[in-house]
Amino acid sequence: MDIKKLIADTENKNIEFKETLPNNSQKYIKTVVAFANGIGGKIIFGVSDDTRKIVGIEKEKAFKVVDAITNAISDSCEPAIIPDIYLKTIDEKTLIIVEIDAERQRPYYLKSLGKENGTYVRIAGTTRLADEAMIKELTFEGNNRCFDQSICLGLEITNEDIIKLCNSLKEVALRNAPDSLKHTIKDVTEKQLVSWGILIEKEGKFFPTNAYAILTGNEAFPMHIQCGLFKGNNRAIFVDKRELNGPIYEQIEEAYQFVLRNIHLGAKIKGVYRQDVYEIPPESIRELIINAAIHRSYLDRNNIQIAIYDDRLEVTSPGKLAMGQTIDKMKDGYSKIRNEALANAFSYMNLIEHWGSGIPRIINTVLNAGLKEPEFIGGDIDLRINIYRSQIHDTDLDDLNVDLDDLNVDLDDLNVDLDYQSMNLLKLIHKYPTLTYKEYGLRLNISEATVKRLFNKLKSSKIVKREGSSRNGKWIINKKSL
């Protein structure tokens, strides 16, 4: 472990610095508890938390301080937390490093304050008191249980209700399955729903779980997806908004269609064939919404929010990441299923494929479309994922009237895909023929490397050519007329 590098970095969700040992041990015990309830972390004593200056702990007092920290943690925390405490010498100064693992007997709290007032979590590099929903989430994690597989209190169902759900699940599965696999879709039975955790059977009677309420859209467990279209890049001006309800799989489809209606549609041409192409790959949009529904915390009663801005699509999923999950692990394909009953139903309905493959697939599809890599924000109280759009202002799009039918190219021999990015680049070239690769990239909100790749495709297909020098020349579109 490179201690100097850790000290140089900004204090984050799993690192905290203390210049000296506080007289009041609660000042650092709260952070110990928060680390145990989260992904673990380190408290480094002997470093100024303001200047990151290494001040050290007096060598002759170091072991006494270690004993004091060990006793304070042992006496103050419930359940017991066992830290790894050791000394490290940096620039001839002694540091005390307290390392806390992510613990499994959650929630951890201060004995003196009790579970309700003494449970702490780590949010954006700070230690904060956990609210009721967070404490419940930690309790389910500690018991290795899924909230969606718990009985939905106050909800009663009939045999007819169960049959209706079974039929609905099969209808969705058939709709989403390829024609070649439709014959493999089997009926859903009561026994199947029990094995998934959608129903619980006691003494011959079936009780619905929270997953049942979510799948049927029952108001005993209200859960909505909120969709909004905004003018600009913030939420100041609403253009359109929807609050969806009903079965979760229907909300997913309606939200998906809302996004498609409100993003740009271009064309992809190969030979004489023209195909509509959205600026953001539809499969990524759908996968992103499904991911939010399957991995969110349903203990957190906030709604999934889908916001479309001029520059991005933003999907916010309520609740902290599941125990053991991090953004980096998620991007690498590590899957931590929080809602097992829903995951089983979604898998049957062909809404999800292999565990953990969704996020890497979204990233690859977006990058292959020439867009920026999706942005992942948060994970402490919610998770926000942004996919950035191709940025040409609407006024520019209206003014740039490039019709590919007028290009001086034999389309029968054109062996190149003209996707949305290529179309937008052509329009920019028509209006701004002297821009540099970098300037085209800034206007399209794509990398300079992507611009070069698009130009190479257009040049090799003889759709564009360069006239003049690289410094003072301009781009020419090979066309008959505009």
Side-chain angles (χ1 to χ4, degrees), residues 282-456:
E283 59 269 34
S284 295
I285 298 169
R286 193 166 187 264
E287 189 109 42
L288 196 58
I289 298 170
I290 291 171
N291 186 78
I294 197 70
H295 291 297
R296 64 157 291 174
S297 167
Y298 286 95
L299 279 159
D300 186 325
R301 291 306 179 96
N302 289 314
N303 295 315
I304 294 170
Q305 293 188 335
I306 298 173
I308 304 171
Y309 303 95
D310 287 354
D311 69 333
R312 70 192 185 279
L313 166 66
E314 177 184 275
V315 178
T316 303
S317 178
K320 74 179 187 68
L321 294 177
M323 183 173 68
Q325 182 65 289
T326 66
I327 288 176
D328 287 340
K329 286 182 178 180
M330 184 189 310
K331 292 164 75 172
D332 287 338
Y334 172 78
S335 179
K336 181 70 176 179
I337 299 297
R338 170 186 266 128
N339 302 298
E340 289 191 5
L342 291 178
N344 287 322
F346 276 40
S347 180
Y348 170 81
M349 291 186 288
N350 296 300
L351 289 172
I352 57 176
E353 296 180 18
H354 305 295
W355 305 138
S357 63
I359 293 298
R361 189 162 52 245
I362 290 170
I363 294 172
N364 290 334
T365 305
V366 168
L367 289 175
N368 289 337
L371 301 175
K372 287 184 177 179
E373 181 173 335
E375 180 181 31
F376 295 76
I377 302 171
D380 299 317
I381 55 176
D382 59 25
L383 178 65
R384 180 167 297 171
I385 302 178
N386 292 323
I387 297 180
Y388 283 88
R389 305 170 65 180
S390 174
Q391 284 302 285
I392 294 183
H393 298 297
D394 289 339
T395 53
D396 289 337
L397 288 171
D398 293 338
D399 292 341
L400 302 180
N401 298 313
V402 176
D403 188 345
L404 289 180
D405 293 334
D406 292 334
L407 294 179
N408 189 20
V409 179
D410 186 350
L411 294 179
D412 290 327
D413 296 330
L414 182 60
N415 189 25
V416 62
D417 288 341
L418 290 182
D419 55 18
Y420 188 83
Q421 296 285 7
S422 300
M423 293 284 290
N424 281 341
L425 180 55
L426 277 174
K427 293 176 181 182
L428 274 183
I429 294 169
H430 170 54
K431 188 169 184 179
Y432 308 108
T434 61
L435 297 183
T436 64
Y437 288 143
K438 183 177 182 180
E439 289 167 333
Y440 284 123
L442 289 173
R443 286 178 175 270
L444 289 167
N445 197 31
I446 59 179
S447 69
E448 188 174 347
T450 298
V451 173
K452 290 179 180 179
R453 177 175 58 78
L454 294 174
F455 261 108
N456 288 336

Side-chain angles (χ1 to χ4, degrees), residues 235-250:
R235 299 197 177 195
I237 303 176
F238 256 118
V239 176
D240 188 17
K241 60 181 176 180
R242 298 280 190 276
E243 182 164 296
L244 309 177
N245 51 46
I248 185 61
Y249 48 84
E250 290 183 2

Side-chain angles (χ1 to χ4, degrees), residues 263-269 274-279 418-421 423-424 427:
I263 61 174
H264 294 138
L265 180 65
K268 180 178 182 180
I269 295 180
R274 182 188 294 257
Q275 178 184 356
D276 290 339
V277 176
Y278 289 94
E279 59 176 315
L418 290 182
D419 55 18
Y420 188 83
Q421 296 285 7
M423 293 284 290
N424 281 341
K427 293 176 181 182

Side-chain angles (χ1 to χ4, degrees), residues 130-300:
D131 60 17
E132 182 181 358
M134 184 67 75
I135 293 173
K136 286 182 179 179
E137 184 80 46
L138 292 168
T139 301
F140 272 92
E141 289 179 345
N143 293 328
N144 197 29
R145 294 168 54 212
C146 294
F147 175 71
D148 71 330
Q149 293 179 322
S150 300
I151 290 177
C152 184
L153 301 177
L155 177 58
E156 296 183 358
I157 56 173
T158 64
N159 287 336
E160 289 74 19
D161 293 328
I162 296 173
I163 293 171
K164 183 179 178 181
L165 175 59
C166 291
N167 291 337
S168 296
L169 295 178
K170 185 176 181 181
E171 286 176 11
V172 178
L174 288 169
R175 190 162 61 240
N176 291 327
D179 290 340
S180 61
L181 295 178
K182 289 187 187 298
H183 70 282
T184 66
I185 304 297
K186 297 180 180 179
D187 291 339
V188 181
T189 63
E190 292 173 340
K191 183 177 180 181
Q192 189 72 67
L193 295 181
V194 171
S195 70
W196 288 346
I198 295 171
L199 296 177
I200 290 177
E201 185 177 11
K202 289 184 177 181
E203 299 177 354
K205 185 176 180 180
F206 294 109
F207 295 87
T209 64
N210 293 315
Y212 177 97
I214 295 166
L215 286 166
T216 58
N218 194 290
E219 284 301 310
F221 194 101
M223 198 290 298
H224 308 282
I225 295 180
Q226 294 175 320
C227 301
L229 174 66
F230 300 89
K231 183 176 178 60
N233 298 330
N234 57 49
R235 299 197 177 195
I237 303 176
F238 256 118
V239 176
D240 188 17
K241 60 181 176 180
R242 298 280 190 276
E243 182 164 296
L244 309 177
N245 51 46
I248 185 61
Y249 48 84
E250 290 183 2
Q251 292 189 46
I252 289 170
E253 182 61 27
E254 289 178 45
Y256 170 65
Q257 294 299 332
F258 178 88
V259 176
L260 293 186
R261 287 195 303 271
N262 290 291
I263 61 174
H264 294 138
L265 180 65
K268 180 178 182 180
I269 295 180
K270 193 166 187 177
V272 295
Y273 299 102
R274 182 188 294 257
Q275 178 184 356
D276 290 339
V277 176
Y278 289 94
E279 59 176 315
I280 300 174
E283 59 269 34
S284 295
I285 298 169
R286 193 166 187 264
E287 189 109 42
L288 196 58
I289 298 170
I290 291 171
N291 186 78
I294 197 70
H295 291 297
R296 64 157 291 174
S297 167
Y298 286 95
L299 279 159
D300 186 325

